[in-house]
Amino acid sequence: PSARNTRSAATRWVLLILALAVMTPALAEDVPSYQAEYELRHGDTLAGIFRESYRVRPEGYRLESTLGAVGLAALFSKGDIHQISEGTLRDGSPQPGYYRFVQGMEKDYLFTFAGDHISLRGHPDRKRLPRSGPILDEPTLMIEMRGRLLRGETSGETSVLYGAKARVYDYRFAVSGREKVMTPQGEWDTLLVERTSSRGKYRYRFWCAEELAYLPVRIERTDRDGRTAVLLLSAYQAPPSDDPE
């Protein structure tokens, strides 16, 4: 081969290596697949169990969660809350296409994300929600927040479809410090993240463990009257052992 061809081939290899070097950090910033389980507590009382499974696939993602009441809390519950979100990933950020919210026998809402609107089935009044820009659903809000933390961001805001109300609210988050947190899974070094919304009913605080790609190991939700519910990480696995891929 000529010297020109040899130099051309070498140049192509150098460009390929540089491209891979640039791409690798971006891949590391994506939230990985996982399964997690949390205990829901009101004071010292175990009131429920929250389970969540997030799977990254070549065509996108699937996120599924269930919140079930236990003990005396089950007597006053309106039923388990089950949520499913499926869609694509763009630069690590979820782009929902399908979202289902189910609560016992009372609610079963199916949302489909289109270009300028979100269609809705199962709601007694609304069949369509306007969409003027990017909107997440409630399950993928945490994936989006974790992705931003992985990219080094310390604050952000986004519009979110809240399934139970079938309404869109604006959510904001900001990192407020670092703390060590004890859970049934052990002690973690975490970022403390605070979140508010235009709905204004609750204030959230998340203790996100860098070791777990900023998965929250403790979540607190406080209402306007100062009552607080706590989710504590009790089990974690990544990737899901039953993932067929």
Side-chain angles (χ1 to χ4, degrees), residues 200-204 220-229:
K201 186 175 181 180
Y202 299 110
R203 181 172 65 90
Y204 285 86
E220 288 185 0
R221 187 190 75 175
T222 304
D223 65 17
R224 296 189 186 108
D225 297 323
R227 293 172 298 196
T228 298

Side-chain angles (χ1 to χ4, degrees), residues 18 26 54 67 74 81 90 111 127 165 176 219 227:
L18 288 174
Y54 176 68
L67 174 61
I81 295 176
R90 183 181 302 167
F111 305 88
K127 305 298 180 185
K165 298 294 184 182
S176 62
I219 302 171
R227 293 172 298 196

Side-chain angles (χ1 to χ4, degrees), residues 64-195:
E64 188 168 357
S65 68
T66 300
L67 174 61
V70 299
L72 291 176
L75 298 177
F76 305 97
S77 171
K78 296 179 180 179
D80 290 359
I81 295 176
H82 186 58
Q83 298 185 81
I84 300 174
S85 175
E86 293 184 346
T88 59
L89 293 168
R90 183 181 302 167
D91 297 326
S93 295
Q95 311 290 315
Y98 160 99
Y99 169 43
R100 186 178 182 187
F101 177 91
V102 180
Q103 184 173 16
M105 301 295 291
E106 182 179 295
K107 297 177 180 179
D108 189 348
Y109 301 157
L110 177 60
F111 305 88
T112 304
F113 290 71
D116 63 349
H117 69 280
I118 301 171
S119 62
L120 169 56
R121 290 191 329 197
H123 195 279
D125 302 317
R126 290 188 288 278
K127 305 298 180 185
R128 180 183 174 113
L129 301 172
R131 184 186 187 197
S132 58
I135 296 178
L136 298 175
D137 51 37
E138 189 180 2
T140 54
L141 174 58
M142 179 53 62
I143 301 298
E144 173 70 9
M145 191 178 83
R146 291 174 60 193
R148 292 188 181 192
L149 293 175
L150 285 167
R151 293 189 288 273
E153 299 179 36
T154 57
S155 63
E157 58 183 283
T158 189
S159 297
V160 178
L161 172 61
Y162 184 67
K165 298 294 184 182
R167 294 187 182 277
V168 176
Y169 299 97
D170 294 326
Y171 284 74
R172 298 174 179 83
F173 81 90
V175 175
S176 62
R178 291 182 176 272
E179 291 186 6
K180 287 186 179 291
V181 173
M182 181 63 70
T183 75
Q185 281 279 293
E187 187 177 61
W188 305 90
D189 291 315
T190 69
L191 285 183
L192 174 57
V193 181
E194 301 196 27
R195 192 182 80 191

